[in-house]
Amino acid sequence: MFESLSDKLEGVFKRLSGKGKLTEADVDVALREVRMALLEADVNLKVVRQFLERVRARAIGAEVMQSLTPAQAVVKIVNEELIATLGEPAKLDLAGAAPHTIMLIGLQGSGKTTTAAKLALHLRKQGQRSLMVAADTRRPAAIQQLQTLGKQLDINVYAVDPKTPPPQICADAVKHATASAYSVVILDTAGRLHIDDDLMKELEQVKSRTNPQETILIVDSMTGQEAVRVADEFNKRVGLTGLILTKVDGDARGGAALSVRSVTGVPIKFLGVGEKPDALEPFYPDRLASRILGMGDVLTLIERAQQNLDQEQARQAAEKMLKAQFTLEDFLQQMQQIKKLGPLTQIMSMIPGFAQVAKEIPEEATEQQFKRIEAIIHSMTPQERRQPDVLNARRRQRIAAGSGTTVQDVNELMREFKQMQKMMQQLKSGKGRGLPRFPGFPGFG
Amino acid sequence: MFNFLKRDKEKTKEGLTKTRESLKTKLQNLIWLDNEITPEFWVGLEDTLIQADFGGEATMQVVDDLRARADAERIVSPKKIEGLLKTELAKALNDANQTAPTRGVWQAKPHVILMVGVNGAGKTTSIGKLAKYFRDQNKRVLLAAGDTFRAAAIEQLQVWGERVKVNVVAHQQGADPGAVAFDAYQSAVANNADVLIIDTAGRLQSKTNLMKELEKIARVLQKGDPTAPHETLLVLDAVTGQNGLNQAREFQKAAPLTGIVLAKLDGTAKGGIVFAIAKELKLPIKYIGTGEKIDDFAEFDAEEFVQDLFEG
């Protein structure tokens, strides 16, 4: 159950609380938990050490040791330091005379080509006219990939004979862009290892010949401990102005962002959150901090809800809940809405404190449970759905047979539904004090 | 056959040596006086494992176990402890390898291999290299361009097909990958192919719908051969951190895996997450990718892999 850092720290301080005044040693015990949380999130070991020194300096001050709620005080410090380290979001620098050149670099498979297209689309919305440059002459069909994306989005692509050296291609492309009044040039370079000297030299040449305004390292959010060495090397050799974190729509905690940011000192400019060309989001340090700490991502959940839910239906349901007129039909509708947000376990993992519970529940089990509830309600007559009180033993038997469940299953659902109604009554009469359990989802209560 | 294996081994070494040389960082502080186990020794051991992406909790467990054993058996030589650790680690990987199905023997014809993984892991490149590897063993190889989603993924596989001189069954971009797999299977049977390797679109393991698509590809293949796919290999980028375990877990659910291809091992990343995967899911590493060239590919060798964890 103890998953989120705050839960773990509560546990630590509870064990210590018998002893009276907290000591520095007590704080160190708590910091060990913080260390583990950061390591599990893939923050680099050396970065973790530096980070903990800062946290410790604050924690052994008055803030924690005299706090009545030391666990929360530690979490607060960790969270604030994380947000501070992740830094402020920054926009693309498009000041001065056009065309502005943006150079994208990174390891193989980090997502440069996809990001190039996303950036071009994003910039078009701001009135910029971009030229994408196919400078990856190494990977088979990389040029075609950029051309296909360009065609899909109606953005021009500069591509020449792949035998041309990339620095030459890029320099020519910038000349072409200047002559043809493009406002932005996006250089899609080949993926390369930071220790590949020849290819790093090539990047240096591209840079010196095109003088890009932005040199952006594309970092896969799933990257582990090596993120530091990779970013450091790219930064030393080529000089970075920004970072874009990709594949953030996955379930990686994204500690690499912290590593890369602290070793390079350059700002995170965007997050890549999907395969579609519009899946590029601004970066919010507080959200990423929660994610790294495994403290849930409620804001993302809310956003996803706003995108996927039928607002009108949701409003009606809420009204009915408040009037305590909520029926099984509404309940079914609600369930179907929630399903649109994604697998239940994934939704739960975004809620603070539920990440571990979500891990322990097999995804199929929740899906099955959903299906069972759906089947039971579908096997009822409209009258039964609106007035469940008419459900006598015979009706229950019929429903169980019709839905392929047992009478116990039907009873269980009815019991939970009744509880939910009772709670809504309390809400209505103002007696309710929050929602004591997850109504309707057996097993989460 | 033996020459072949030997050559591979040398190649692996070459790849790994290159890594070591290019790394100008000094060795981990794992050089000690050989009769003194200091607290620093244990910290050094911990750091080595953590920095190899072994995982924080997993590292603590391994090091705590080792300490308990050192106390119990009164081991005082750091070298001996390091040796013990290496043996244990290699054993963990080898054990997973032995329990893995379909090792070596191919009973079906065509032997069907499904390649899966997250975006950018290195699936298509690994398929090109694997095709070359089988061709060198005089096997008839057929490839299926099952990544119908990503722009130019089909063309990318076709380039590899030309390089290796094997045929590629492909539909248009946007086509149903199940249909591609089915056609490719029919074609493999008609052309008497020994092995069919199927590419799939990269997908993040948290995308339920895309994961379901993998199940469908397997079902379609089973219409031709109920035992297919005979191998499902997860391509894992060596630079991946703790998320690698989630990847293996979720792909395992959608398309029962038989092993791992650890790609991009020519960088400085160690790929230590494979230990957690071997431990929890009993999944062996079958091949490693060590560069962009067609022969930068080898069978996995647990001892060398473990040795490399402690160097550079």
Side-chain angles (χ1 to χ4, degrees):
Chain A
M1 271 303 281
F2 290 147
E3 151 66 11
S4 85
L5 181 62
S6 52
D7 284 341
K8 273 187 183 157
L9 292 175
E10 293 286 355
V12 169
F13 285 111
K14 210 171 275 171
R15 284 199 298 279
L16 297 173
S17 64
K19 304 192 310 183
K21 199 172 174 297
L22 285 173
T23 63
E24 282 193 31
D26 297 338
V27 170
D28 286 337
V29 174
L31 290 185
R32 267 208 285 277
E33 296 292 346
V34 178
R35 175 176 188 260
M36 205 48 86
L38 294 174
L39 287 176
E40 291 301 310
D42 288 324
V43 181
N44 178 276
L45 180 61
K46 286 175 188 150
V47 174
V48 170
R49 287 204 175 118
Q50 292 159 7
F51 182 81
L52 286 183
E53 266 171 39
R54 291 200 300 278
V55 173
R56 188 171 190 276
R58 279 182 64 183
I60 57 171
E63 270 184 85
V64 172
M65 288 164 72
Q66 284 167 23
S67 169
L68 292 173
T69 52
Q72 280 165 35
V74 172
V75 171
K76 183 166 165 278
I77 296 173
V78 170
N79 200 37
E80 284 171 5
E81 287 293 329
L82 263 183
I83 292 170
T85 313
L86 285 170
E88 290 296 311
K91 293 215 165 92
L92 286 174
D93 171 20
L94 299 177
H100 315 285
T101 303
I102 303 173
M103 175 170 161
L104 304 182
I105 59 180
L107 296 177
Q108 291 96 337
S110 52
K112 286 172 296 303
T113 307
T114 306
T115 305
K118 286 179 180 179
L119 274 180
L121 185 68
H122 168 82
L123 288 168
R124 183 164 69 197
K125 287 178 193 153
Q126 300 182 355
Q128 306 285 350
R129 187 165 168 257
S130 298
L131 177 68
M132 299 197 287
V133 181
D136 181 356
T137 54
R138 296 172 58 82
R139 182 167 58 96
I143 297 172
Q144 286 98 312
Q145 186 183 351
L146 195 65
Q147 282 172 327
T148 307
L149 290 169
K151 221 174 274 168
Q152 277 169 14
L153 302 174
D154 195 20
I155 288 162
N156 287 341
V157 172
Y158 183 89
V160 293
D161 181 357
K163 287 190 201 83
T164 320
Q168 184 67 42
I169 296 177
C170 293
D172 291 348
V174 172
K175 262 184 225 148
H176 171 73
T178 313
S180 313
Y182 285 96
S183 58
V184 175
V185 186
I186 301 174
L187 307 177
D188 178 28
T189 65
R192 66 201 73 213
L193 281 172
H194 52 298
I195 51 170
D196 190 326
D197 191 46
D198 291 344
L199 288 184
M200 292 303 279
K201 274 201 187 106
E202 183 192 281
L203 275 190
E204 290 166 356
Q205 286 165 12
V206 171
K207 177 140 188 171
S208 73
R209 293 190 61 176
T210 59
N211 194 23
Q213 217 158 330
E214 290 274 10
T215 304
I216 296 180
L217 182 69
I218 310 295
V219 182
D220 186 330
S221 61
M222 295 179 280
T223 312
Q225 294 287 319
E226 283 303 300
V228 157
R229 192 140 45 178
V230 173
D232 193 33
E233 205 61 33
F234 272 102
N235 192 32
K236 276 186 191 143
R237 298 284 302 253
V238 193
L240 301 173
T241 60
L243 307 165
I244 294 179
L245 197 64
T246 59
K247 308 179 203 174
V248 182
D249 48 329
D251 55 11
R253 299 268 285 276
L258 193 74
S259 306
V260 170
R261 160 77 204 184
S262 36
V263 75
T264 62
V266 298
I268 300 171
K269 301 226 164 177
F270 292 100
L271 308 181
V273 293
E275 296 190 64
K276 297 208 185 85
D278 61 351
L280 190 71
E281 279 184 0
F283 150 72
Y284 299 103
D286 48 344
R287 293 190 194 181
L288 199 56
S290 303
R291 181 180 175 131
I292 290 172
L293 290 178
M295 310 249 288
D297 191 353
V298 177
L299 291 168
T300 301
L301 182 60
I302 291 170
E303 268 188 4
R304 214 193 272 185
Q306 280 169 345
Q307 282 163 12
N308 288 293
L309 295 189
D310 183 330
Q311 301 294 331
E312 185 53 24
Q313 258 188 22
R315 195 184 55 77
Q316 282 173 4
E319 259 172 33
K320 281 182 172 169
M321 277 189 201
L322 286 174
K323 288 184 192 155
Q325 290 171 346
F326 199 70
T327 67
L328 278 165
E329 270 175 347
D330 299 319
F331 182 55
L332 186 64
Q333 236 179 35
Q334 288 282 295
M335 267 185 20
Q336 281 157 351
Q337 291 261 358
I338 288 176
K339 265 166 71 177
K340 280 194 214 160
L341 295 182
L344 194 57
T345 46
Q346 197 196 329
I347 300 173
M348 286 180 67
S349 67
M350 293 189 202
I351 303 172
F354 278 90
Q356 190 59 30
V357 186
K359 256 188 221 156
E360 281 161 11
I361 303 168
E363 197 177 300
E364 308 90 73
T366 60
E367 300 293 320
Q368 289 256 321
Q369 187 72 18
F370 259 167
K371 273 195 198 137
R372 198 151 50 205
I373 294 172
E374 259 176 359
I376 292 174
I377 300 178
H378 279 307
S379 298
M380 294 179 181
T381 65
Q383 190 211 357
E384 287 165 347
R385 290 181 208 176
R386 276 171 226 142
Q387 297 171 297
D389 289 336
V390 302
L391 288 178
N392 57 23
R394 277 191 57 181
R395 282 176 188 257
R396 284 171 199 236
Q397 257 170 16
R398 191 205 77 236
I399 292 165
S403 57
T405 58
T406 64
V407 175
Q408 280 91 333
D409 289 333
V410 178
N411 287 343
E412 168 100 355
L413 174 63
M414 295 320 299
R415 202 166 40 241
E416 305 217 1
F417 182 69
K418 283 255 168 64
Q419 261 178 357
M420 208 167 137
Q421 275 187 324
K422 212 182 277 168
M423 238 162 49
M424 287 170 192
Q425 285 286 355
Q426 286 174 349
L427 273 178
K428 187 188 168 196
S429 56
K431 277 184 223 149
R433 282 188 161 266
L435 299 177
R437 42 181 282 160
F438 250 112
F441 305 132
F444 308 149
Chain B
M1 186 69 194
F2 278 110
N3 273 341
F4 183 77
L5 282 176
K6 202 170 141 238
R7 209 184 73 208
D8 270 331
K9 216 163 191 176
E10 276 158 12
K11 225 175 285 160
T12 319
K13 255 209 179 110
E14 228 172 80
L16 296 176
T17 318
K18 193 178 107 198
T19 308
R20 281 171 207 149
E21 282 170 356
S22 51
L23 267 176
K24 298 217 168 74
T25 55
K26 60 176 186 278
L27 296 186
Q28 286 285 353
N29 35 342
L30 277 175
I31 304 158
W32 350 87
L33 296 172
D34 195 43
N35 50 12
E36 200 186 359
I37 296 178
T38 57
E40 289 77 33
F41 166 78
W42 294 111
V43 172
L45 218 50
E46 264 176 39
D47 287 4
T48 306
L49 292 178
I50 288 172
Q51 287 176 328
D53 287 316
F54 208 84
E57 312 235 0
T59 296
M60 294 308 150
Q61 217 170 23
V62 166
V63 174
D64 285 350
D65 286 354
L66 207 57
R67 281 183 102 140
R69 193 167 159 194
D71 282 349
E73 298 176 18
R74 296 179 196 282
I75 302 169
V76 291
S77 152
K79 262 202 188 119
K80 199 168 172 199
I81 289 180
E82 200 189 310
L84 272 179
L85 177 60
K86 284 181 186 169
T87 314
E88 289 287 315
L89 291 177
K91 186 175 174 292
L93 296 175
N94 282 327
D95 284 354
N97 205 359
Q98 268 156 20
T99 54
T102 72
R103 180 89 195 147
V105 193
W106 287 5
Q107 281 158 349
K109 192 173 175 176
H111 181 80
V112 180
I113 303 177
L114 190 63
M115 301 286 272
V116 301
V118 298
N119 314 63
K123 286 175 295 302
T124 309
T125 307
S126 296
I127 289 173
K129 293 174 180 176
L130 195 56
K132 168 74 164 35
Y133 177 84
F134 289 139
R135 276 241 330 148
D136 285 348
Q137 297 176 38
N138 294 318
K139 297 247 184 345
R140 283 176 75 92
V141 185
L142 186 68
L143 303 181
D147 181 356
T148 57
F149 180 81
R150 207 203 65 202
I154 297 170
E155 288 84 346
Q156 189 181 345
L157 192 69
Q158 282 167 334
V159 172
W160 279 105
E162 279 161 31
R163 284 187 189 171
V164 187
K165 300 188 178 59
V166 302
N167 286 332
V168 179
V169 175
H171 290 189
Q172 296 296 310
Q173 196 190 346
D176 172 25
V180 178
F182 187 77
D183 270 9
Y185 181 82
Q186 300 294 335
S187 172
V189 172
N191 291 295
N192 200 24
D194 294 305
V195 54
L196 167 65
I197 311 174
I198 300 170
D199 194 10
T200 61
R203 64 202 72 216
L204 296 176
Q205 70 274 15
S206 51
K207 312 261 164 162
T208 320
N209 293 341
L210 292 177
M211 296 304 278
K212 289 232 164 84
E213 187 188 271
L214 288 180
E215 292 170 26
K216 191 189 160 196
I217 294 175
R219 273 203 309 278
V220 168
L221 286 168
Q222 282 152 13
K223 284 184 193 160
D225 177 352
T227 62
H230 308 97
E231 288 185 70
T232 303
L233 299 177
L234 174 71
V235 181
L236 189 72
D237 187 333
V239 87
T240 310
Q242 299 309 298
N243 192 251
L245 181 57
N246 262 2
Q247 289 177 25
R249 278 187 192 136
E250 296 302 319
F251 275 97
Q252 173 83 313
K253 281 187 208 157
L257 302 173
T258 58
I260 287 173
V261 178
L262 194 57
K264 309 182 203 173
L265 206 52
D266 48 332
T268 48
K270 308 289 191 189
I273 190 64
V274 296
F275 289 96
I277 297 174
K279 189 177 170 206
E280 184 181 311
L281 301 169
K282 301 279 172 267
L283 277 178
I285 311 172
K286 297 223 161 159
Y287 305 102
I288 59 171
T290 54
E292 288 183 329
K293 287 196 292 297
I294 200 157
D295 286 321
D296 294 337
F297 188 74
E299 280 197 31
F300 177 70
D301 180 315
E303 277 76 22
E304 280 188 38
F305 182 78
V306 168
Q307 186 60 36
D308 192 51
L309 279 185
F310 291 87
E311 289 174 31

